[in-house]
Each structure stands twice: as structure tokens, then as C-alpha cells.
Amino acid sequence: MPILALGLNHKTAPVEVRERITFGPDIIAGALRSLLEAASVEESVILSTCNRTEVYCSINDTEKGSVADWISDFHGLDNGKVSPYLYSHMDADAVRHLMRVSCGLDSLVLGEPQILGQVKSAFQTAASANATGKMLSKLFQHVFSVSKQIRTDTAIGNSPVSVAFAAVSLARQIFSELKEQTALLIGAGETVELAARHLHQNGIGRIIVANRTVERAHSLAAQFDGYAIALTEIGNHLAEADIVISSTASPLPILGKGTVERALKERKHRPIFMVDIAVPRDIEPEVADLSDIYLYTVDDLDEVIEENKRSRQEAALQAEEIIDQHVEEFMGWLRSLDAVELIQGYRIQAEQLRNETLKKALQQLKKGKSPEEALQFLAHTLTNKLLHTPSAQLRQAGFDGQIELLEAANTLFQLKKPTNRP
């Protein structure tokens, strides 16, 4: 059964397109159910992050158009406005793509480790929604094993590089010293936690964490001697912030132009550096038009990220070699599934012949035949029945000149030419 990987990412689609194709945590289970109702889809996992939205499916045929149409229809968009940004991979290419994604080789920051956790979470969500089966379960477990090997055997993850790290690096370039600065972090997920860690390591003066759940914000802020506020309190504290880094799963912007204007007025127009990592965006794009605001999205971090990429290229080449080996290993397992069905069918046929012949041999015993005669009958009849069809097919293959079939049979049965013919 074909495997399809279809989606878009930071390389193929700008943020304004990506933010319209996301699957938030509250809708992803329903989305999986909807996708499985598509006639060609048997199993599916949906991966949706700030930099990519991808659908991994096992499908009944090689037609990928129905899945592409489903993505557009689910989000209420014209397919013509989405399809130019989509890429697709089939079978071995799909397996390779998933491995590269999980290892961070396809990330905005080469080798970043967060994506593996996001892939694991996507798979667990799909498994909980009963959207996965034998094929995708095997694939994703294989991918997790490969990712672990690459982290262990290469230097792909040796330096602390991520989108969050790139954001903090840019803040250091702007402010040079962070000890006098205050950072407002919006959200309390992995990316924000990583940003908080990097800021703390670089000597940030104060950290404020704003989150929908204040308890979660407090738990994170406490690790870095910061304090927590609710999202509704951001307007009261924004003027304190020199640095704002935002990454939430909100479908609507958290910060609007009016709120930022009031904060700038209170700050007497001291500049604020803002990084909006979220997709959909947390900060209204119009905020970038304000004087004294330096607003960056994930797409603006390319220069910082390119510098980090160069330091990881050698490790990436090693990782690609490991991936190539494991792609072939998985595809070998996949091809073996066809053989399993064939073997099962052959065994069922052989067992039916055995049972029929054994029944006749037992009847002969009941009729007074000796055990030796019954065994002779059993061995002779069963051998003839098992060999009849293959022998007839091989004889016909010889008559038709099907040399490849004869050679395959010789390999299959491991036959030796008889030394003495009767």
C-alpha cells in the first residue's frame, strides 16, 4: 500500500499561507477522522508546527490529489491558492522525508532537536484517535530509532541551535548586553521555555512569562527567577519589556497595534525588539509599521540561521548516509508484507490438502487397511497433490520459454540437478 507525505513548510510557503493551513491541538483529532473518511486514506498522521504542516498517509492508490483537496476543503480555502505551495513524496521518498524532518535536517535551523518531540506528539495524537495501523506505526517507530542513532552518532545536535536560540542571538546583537533588559515571553510551550533558558544563560535582567494558564506560566517563570501574568494582563506590563518573544497556539493575534502604541508612549518611545515565532502569528503584522518597534517573524531569522547551518553541514552529510541505509531497511520490510500474504495463502492451501489426505488415510485405517498401507497412501497422495500445480506451471513455463520463471523457481526451491537419472 503506497505511503504519501504531503504538505508545505517554511521553504515552500510564506508565513501568511502557513498560518491558514495549521491544525491546532483542539481540532486535530476531528481532522484525522475527517481525513480517514476520504476513500483513499487508510492510516494518517498530521504534523502541524509553526514551520510546517504535513500529512502522512497510507493510501489505497497513488492518487495524491484527494488529500491535497481535503487540506484545502478542511480549511475552507480555494485549492488553487494552496496547491502551488504543496510538495508531495511517495513511498521511499516519503519515508526519507519523514526521517529528515524528525532529525532536524529539513528544519529552519539545521539539526534543531524540538521537531522530534513534535513528531512523537503528532504520532501519539494519531494513535489515540485510532488513525494509525500496522504500516504507520512501524514507520514512525523506525523513524524514532533512526533519530536517536543520528543524535548519538553525529554532531548534529552538539550546539544549542533552534529558532529560539536564533531569536536570542538576534536580541544580543541589538542590545549587546542583556543584563539591563526585561524580556516578556508570551506562551509557555517548548519554544518559549527554550528561549527563556537561552535568555537566562545570557544574563537577561528580568523575565516575565504570560500564558493563558497562569499556573503553567508561574511554573516556567519560577525556573528563571521571573514572574507570571495572564494573557489578559499583557497590556499592563508591555511597557516594561525591551524584548518580546511570542509563541502560542492562539488562532488570533495576542498583541494588536493599539496595545503596542500605548506601551511605546509609556516607554517614551524606547525601542522594543519583538520576535513572533507563532504560526498563526501572535502579533498583528501592522505592529511592524510603528516607529521604535523591531518586529521579526520566523521567516526573518534566515541570516542567523544560515550561519548556524554552516557549522552543521558535515554532521548533516553523515546523517543523510544513515538515513539512506534505514530507508532501504524499512522499504525491505514493506515489500516483505506482500510475501507474508503469499506465504499465508500457500500454507492455508497446503494445510487444506493435508487435512483432506489425512481424512482419507484415517478412513482407510477404519476400513481395515494396515497402518503401513495407510501411511504409504498418505505420503504418496500428499506429495502428488503438493507437487501437481507447481510441476504443471513449470512444465508450461519451459514450453513457453519463460526462463526467468524457471530460474526463480530454482532459487525458490534451492534445487540441485540430479546426478543419476532414473
Side-chain angles (χ1 to χ4, degrees), residues 83-318:
S83 57
Y85 302 101
L86 293 174
Y87 48 80
S88 64
H89 306 285
M90 293 295 300
D91 295 330
D93 290 335
V95 173
R96 179 176 288 102
H97 180 73
L98 177 57
M99 288 183 181
R100 296 187 77 256
V101 168
S102 300
C103 297
L105 298 182
D106 195 58
S107 294
L108 184 61
V109 178
L110 182 64
E112 61 96 0
Q114 283 178 284
I115 185 63
L116 178 57
Q118 292 167 329
V119 173
K120 286 182 175 179
S121 178
F123 172 72
Q124 289 165 357
T125 298
S128 298
N130 296 318
T132 58
K134 181 178 182 179
M135 187 179 297
L136 289 189
S137 294
K138 177 74 172 180
L139 171 59
F140 276 80
Q141 293 305 322
H142 194 71
V143 166
F144 300 151
S145 176
V146 172
S147 299
K148 182 179 179 181
Q149 180 184 345
I150 287 174
R151 290 285 162 189
T152 302
D153 295 352
T154 75
I156 195 73
N158 282 3
S159 55
V161 183
S162 66
V163 173
F165 181 77
V168 174
S169 297
L170 196 55
R172 287 181 61 195
Q173 292 178 32
I174 291 172
F175 293 105
S176 68
E177 290 286 339
L178 299 183
K179 61 183 179 181
E180 301 296 329
Q181 314 303 321
T182 294
L184 170 61
L185 307 180
I186 305 175
E190 262 186 78
T191 302
V192 167
E193 182 175 351
L194 196 55
R197 197 171 304 282
H198 290 313
L199 286 167
H200 187 70
Q201 290 170 352
N202 283 277
I204 190 71
R206 294 167 62 222
I207 289 179
I208 305 169
V209 180
N211 192 49
R212 181 177 58 82
T213 306
V214 180
E215 292 80 5
R216 172 71 183 119
H218 179 74
S219 174
L220 178 57
Q223 299 178 45
F224 307 104
D225 301 320
Y227 66 95
I229 61 173
L231 291 182
T232 54
E233 300 178 85
I234 288 177
N236 298 328
H237 293 270
L238 185 58
E240 303 171 39
D242 304 291
I243 299 166
V244 176
I245 299 177
S246 188
S247 179
T248 76
S250 173
L252 298 173
I254 301 292
L255 273 181
K257 186 177 180 181
T259 302
V260 178
E261 282 180 316
R262 288 191 293 274
L264 282 174
K265 186 175 180 181
E266 190 176 339
R267 287 172 60 85
K268 298 181 180 178
H269 290 275
R270 283 185 293 117
I272 304 176
F273 168 64
M274 294 182 169
V275 179
D276 188 354
I277 301 174
V279 177
R281 285 174 282 189
D282 284 338
I283 302 172
E284 287 183 348
E286 293 77 12
V287 170
D289 299 332
L290 297 173
S291 299
D292 305 312
I293 291 294
Y294 301 91
L295 174 59
Y296 293 78
T297 68
V298 288
D299 289 355
D300 298 319
L301 300 179
D302 283 344
E303 187 176 339
V304 178
I305 287 161
E306 282 300 319
E307 187 177 331
N308 294 323
K309 278 185 178 180
R310 287 190 287 273
S311 68
R312 294 192 170 196
Q313 287 300 327
E314 185 176 343
L317 291 174
Q318 295 172 349

Side-chain angles (χ1 to χ4, degrees), residues 51-73:
N51 284 325
R52 72 182 62 247
T53 293
E54 295 178 338
V55 178
Y56 295 90
C57 302
S58 63
I59 55 179
N60 288 325
D61 52 48
T62 57
E63 178 55 50
K64 62 195 176 188
S66 60
V67 179
D69 291 342
W70 174 85
I71 290 177
S72 301
D73 293 343

